[in-house]
Amino acid sequence: MQRNGRGMVLWTIATLCMVSAAAFQRLTGPTIAIRGTVAVADGTLDYRLPRKGWTFEDLRVTIPDPGPATSGWLFYKRYKTDDSLTRVPLVRDPDGLSGSLPRQPAAGKLEYAIMLETGGDRVRLPVGDEDVVARFKDAVPLGLLLPHVFCMFFAILFGMRAGLSAVFEPERMPRYAVISLALMTVGGMILGPFAQKYAFGAFWTGFPFGYDLTDNKTLLMWGVWVVACGVFLARVGGAGLRRTAVLIATVVMTFVYLIPHSTRGSELDYELLDQGVPASEAITEG
């Protein structure tokens, strides 16, 4: 295959990897709304239950109106507490049946479920025994969030391209690897902590200060790429070792992006909060 044609193919594969990673992160994780379908008196009901709220407003939970034969309640309590369930009747509005969860401090979580009375039967949302857990966060300025997201996903693009180059175009590998590391450093190790500070009040809750999985997986990925780039920049070993180091970094990056975003993220400890600890100091890892 001609060099230009081979390069286009490799860029296409790298782009598909980046888009796939972005789609996976967008559609998975503990803050993605729960969806489902249940039978009610007037037919079937498609519902969507949010798992993400803002600290500056109550979280509105709305389901489509199943019809006059159906009414319901919203039950909730603070996550991982012995609080009694609070019951709120759902009200009809132009959007359907709605109830509100009270806003929480940053990293606070509420667990909730909906119970419908429909045609003499009771239907629980979501289906099953598990409650929905909604986490609250402060807003992150778009001027910070967008560059953070841009850098992290384009780090995948150039990282995957570097890994492919390690196999098919070794002479181009160093350039792409360094660009990937630079994007990762800016997006993950500089802008990422600032985004977390805005959202949850702490710059870093990963190693060595905590066990936040998002922070730790970013640190792992960045560290492996630092080593990989260091190997070929310092001309350690032969060409085979340098290519292997970049391939290992690419594999680690792939596994990191297969972990849903916000898994085991920041979580408010309500026990500490009830003891008088300020909310900003009562944040642990979920």
Side-chain angles (χ1 to χ4, degrees), residues 18 23-24 34 62 138 160 169 210-211 217 222 232 249 278:
M18 180 188 72
F24 179 80
I34 292 178
T62 302
D138 290 323
M160 293 297 176
E169 290 182 325
Y211 304 96
K217 71 180 184 180
W222 179 78
F232 63 73

Side-chain angles (χ1 to χ4, degrees), residues 255-276:
F255 278 105
V256 163
Y257 277 90
L258 288 176
I259 300 173
H261 193 269
S262 297
T263 301
R264 288 194 61 189
S266 299
E267 181 178 295
L268 182 65
D269 187 327
Y270 284 106
E271 183 176 350
L272 292 177
L273 189 69
D274 291 343
Q275 292 172 5

Side-chain angles (χ1 to χ4, degrees), residues 167-234:
V167 178
F168 299 104
E169 290 182 325
E171 69 280 2
R172 294 175 179 256
M173 178 191 74
R175 178 193 314 169
Y176 300 138
V178 169
I179 293 174
S180 179
L181 177 59
L183 289 168
M184 209 177 302
T185 301
V186 174
M189 305 307 294
I190 299 175
L191 297 181
F194 278 98
Q196 178 160 276
K197 176 65 174 177
Y198 271 103
F200 301 114
F203 280 108
W204 186 266
T205 53
F207 179 83
F209 306 111
Y211 304 96
D212 186 294
L213 186 56
T214 297
D215 284 351
N216 283 337
K217 71 180 184 180
T218 302
L219 179 62
L220 171 64
M221 178 174 63
W222 179 78
V224 172
W225 276 97
V226 167
V227 171
C229 289
V231 166
F232 63 73
L233 289 175

